[in-house]
Amino acid sequence: MFDLHRLRLLRELKHRGTLAAVATALSYSPSSVSQQLSLLETEVGVPLLEPVGRRVRLTEQAEILVAHTEAVLERLEQAESDIATSLTHLTGTLRVAAFQTAALALVPTALTLLRDAHPRLRVHLTQAEPERALPALLARDFDLVIAEEYPGNPNPLPDGLEVEDLCDDPLRLAVPAGMDAADLRALAGHPFAMEPPDTAAGHWAMRLCRDAGFEPDVRFESTDLLLHVRLAEQGHAAALLPDLVWNGRPPTVTLRPLPSGHRARRLFTAVRRGRSRHPAIRACRQALRRATAPTSL
């Protein structure tokens, strides 16, 4: 029988990439992690790691072990869900990650609903973009992630996740103060505020402008959409903003519709496979759905 703790260390190495990252995440020393993995190799009887420069990578046999470990951990999460369901009160800590606009517009209302319904449940929130949060969810840093998908730009999700749609969030063109642009093409040559190009939002925005026939002049790059709003308010930049950024308040800039097929992003929640039945997950998802009551601009 293989040691489950050591198997989990091997799985962590698969997801985090380096011994140092595993050690940091689990509050071990790198030498301790290395020693435990060496003991696992002895148990298994075959090499599990091979050097690649200054790093190591998993052997074929190690990948097989990790796949089986994932299945074992999934069953253990199902067991945890069943135990939690059998209890009268919902307790423990739920670790949630959300990107900025969801954290601002949805999470506070959801937290109020959860506090009223389940006062013994402790929720820990981290603001994180989906590009970081979804891999961290697989690595068990979070229990639930609120993520987004932009139109025409579906990003394949990592294996081992279960998703549930939350809502569609309309997207609009924010026209800089002092301008009277009718559509996106009319802003060719004007400065833009966008999210970084390595994010789903940034990639989508660049493609949208290029499809409209121009290369955007991106002078302001930030994941902070409140900064985009302020730059548009003061006439410094055009921006592509979701309705959620207004959080139910009237917009402070002129908004124009986007081309057909690019008018809403999809918001969804993701959990690890086997975790969706946990009552804390179900309660959080229900609270988030109630927090997405539609507003019109």
Side-chain angles (χ1 to χ4, degrees):
M1 183 71 67
F2 302 142
D3 184 273
L4 181 58
H5 171 67
R6 292 167 188 155
L7 289 172
R8 293 188 70 167
L9 289 177
L10 185 65
R11 177 197 177 274
E12 291 289 333
L13 181 57
K14 162 85 172 171
H15 286 286
R16 299 186 188 275
T18 67
L19 293 172
V22 174
T24 299
L26 302 181
S27 300
Y28 292 160
S29 67
S31 61
S32 177
V33 173
S34 179
Q35 181 184 35
Q36 291 298 310
L37 292 176
S38 295
L39 290 172
L40 181 61
E41 283 188 327
T42 302
E43 290 179 348
V44 178
V46 296
L48 299 176
L49 304 176
E50 54 188 13
V52 180
R54 295 185 178 180
R55 303 178 65 172
V56 294
R57 68 182 173 196
L58 276 62
T59 63
E60 179 182 353
Q61 291 72 33
E63 295 283 0
I64 293 172
L65 267 182
V66 168
H68 284 285
T69 302
E70 296 282 9
V72 171
L73 293 177
E74 181 180 334
R75 287 302 300 270
L76 289 175
E77 294 218 81
Q78 291 173 356
E80 182 182 346
S81 298
D82 291 343
I83 291 172
T85 301
S86 72
L87 299 176
T88 303
H89 298 288
L90 191 52
T91 61
T93 298
L94 182 68
R95 300 164 301 166
V96 176
F99 58 93
Q100 185 195 44
T101 47
L104 286 171
L106 302 180
V107 172
T109 299
L111 288 175
T112 300
L113 294 168
L114 284 171
R115 181 185 61 198
D116 292 344
H118 307 285
R120 299 186 185 182
L121 179 65
R122 181 177 184 268
V123 180
H124 184 276
L125 173 67
T126 299
Q127 183 180 315
E129 297 301 312
E131 290 82 5
R132 179 175 78 86
L134 290 172
L137 174 63
L138 275 179
R140 286 177 162 73
D141 292 340
F142 304 119
D143 300 308
L144 180 143
V145 168
I146 306 173
E148 59 186 346
E149 180 181 278
Y150 278 79
N153 189 42
N155 288 323
L157 291 172
D159 291 335
L161 297 182
E162 297 177 356
V163 303
E164 182 178 284
D165 285 345
L166 188 56
C167 66
D168 287 335
D169 186 19
L171 297 158
R172 307 177 200 269
L173 172 65
V175 177
M179 293 193 66
D180 189 26
D183 56 24
L184 184 63
R185 189 185 298 271
L187 288 169
H190 192 85
F192 272 81
M194 288 187 183
E195 296 193 46
D198 59 349
T199 64
H203 179 78
W204 164 78
M206 291 292 291
R207 178 181 172 187
L208 184 66
C209 292
R210 289 167 179 166
D211 287 348
F214 68 95
E215 188 72 18
D217 178 10
V218 183
R219 297 193 197 175
F220 310 98
E221 188 175 291
S222 173
T223 58
D224 186 347
L225 294 188
L226 299 182
L227 174 60
H228 296 200
V229 170
R230 183 59 59 86
L231 291 167
E233 286 174 342
Q234 298 193 13
H236 296 297
L240 298 159
L241 299 175
D243 281 2
L244 210 59
V245 78
W246 306 111
N247 197 12
R249 298 185 297 271
T252 55
V253 296
T254 300
L255 298 175
R256 303 294 187 202
L258 293 176
S260 178
H262 292 275
R263 292 181 177 172
R265 63 177 177 173
R266 168 191 172 226
L267 271 58
F268 61 92
T269 57
V271 300
R272 289 183 300 280
R273 188 178 296 135
R275 191 75 171 173
S276 59
R277 293 189 304 167
H278 195 288
I281 296 294
R282 294 203 305 265
C284 185
R285 280 177 158 171
Q286 180 183 28
L288 286 167
R289 286 193 298 270
R290 291 179 62 186
T292 60
T295 57
S296 58
L297 297 180

